[in-house]
Amino acid sequence: MDMQGNRLLPVTQQQAWDALNDPAILKACVPGCDKFEPQGGDAYAVGAGIKVGPVSAKFTGRVQLTDIVAPQSYKLSFEAQGGVAGFGKGESSVALAPAPGGCELSYTVKSTVGGKIAQLGQRLIDGAAKSMADDFFSRFEEELLRRHPEAAAAAAAAPVPAAAAGPSGPWPVWVWCALAFGGTFVIAAAFFFTAAWR
């Protein structure tokens, strides 16, 4: 499946880039994530507990970053195994660009899934993915504003319009992100996780 979208973040491009490359931030922001550890060579070991409808499982996997152009973009590949619940794998591209009031994060995700997760209805999977994506973005923006109080003050003075604040396109999220796995580092991470389970 192919997904794409964008998100306006209330921080500078460099601040967003730093956050997207901080395993501690991604671990804290990806729903259910209990592991996001550097393995060297721009690779990360990841783990998360996920529940989609009647299927609940612990997924473990790996995210590999490539084509890194700091602080603008990178690509990543991800794979996740959840035992009998299934598996997910795919790739994503993440880009950051300056924008009025902060920076814009854009992403594309291509992923495939198998096992019980793949047998669930698409509406149920899409609903769970959207919920995870919304949760990730809320946590990620809260963490950005906590780490950059000047951005919080600016955001309070000039709130981001609701239409610009939400994800767009068919992807609810990645992460990932990534975020989920991905995606970004998910955000891709969140995108990446979410993409692997859609």
Side-chain angles (χ1 to χ4, degrees):
M1 100 196 46
D2 295 344
M3 298 164 281
Q4 63 183 12
N6 54 50
R7 182 83 175 195
L8 183 62
L9 301 174
V11 294
T12 67
Q13 181 179 357
Q14 185 64 53
Q15 289 168 338
W17 177 266
D18 292 343
L20 290 175
N21 287 277
D22 185 331
I25 291 178
L26 296 176
K27 178 180 176 182
C29 295
V30 175
C33 183
D34 58 15
K35 181 180 182 180
F36 210 109
E37 301 173 353
Q39 291 187 313
D42 297 317
Y44 300 84
V46 293
I50 299 295
K51 179 172 174 55
V52 180
V55 179
S56 181
K58 165 74 175 178
F59 283 81
T60 59
R62 186 172 186 269
V63 172
Q64 175 70 57
L65 303 183
T66 59
D67 298 343
I68 300 170
V69 182
Q72 299 173 8
S73 64
Y74 57 68
K75 294 182 180 179
L76 59 86
S77 58
F78 56 89
E79 55 185 34
Q81 292 287 337
V84 296
F87 68 88
K89 62 181 180 178
E91 58 187 29
S92 177
S93 296
V94 178
L96 292 169
C103 71
E104 183 177 50
L105 172 112
S106 301
Y107 58 86
T108 62
V109 180
K110 295 182 180 182
S111 64
T112 59
V113 295
K116 288 184 178 179
I117 289 288
Q119 298 171 11
L120 296 175
Q122 193 63 44
R123 183 175 298 176
L124 181 62
I125 294 173
D126 285 349
K130 183 179 189 314
S131 177
M132 286 179 64
D134 291 345
D135 193 6
F136 169 80
F137 274 121
S138 293
R139 293 181 188 192
F140 187 69
E141 289 185 16
E142 285 176 11
E143 183 63 18
L144 288 174
L145 294 175
R146 186 183 71 78
R147 289 177 177 245
H148 304 286
E150 72 286 359
V160 177
S168 64
W171 168 261
V173 154
W174 143 183
V175 54
W176 123 255
C177 146
L179 185 147
F181 280 125
T184 185
F185 116 121
V186 210
I187 284 178
F191 300 141
F192 317 150
F193 281 116
T194 306
W197 299 314
R198 275 191 60 163

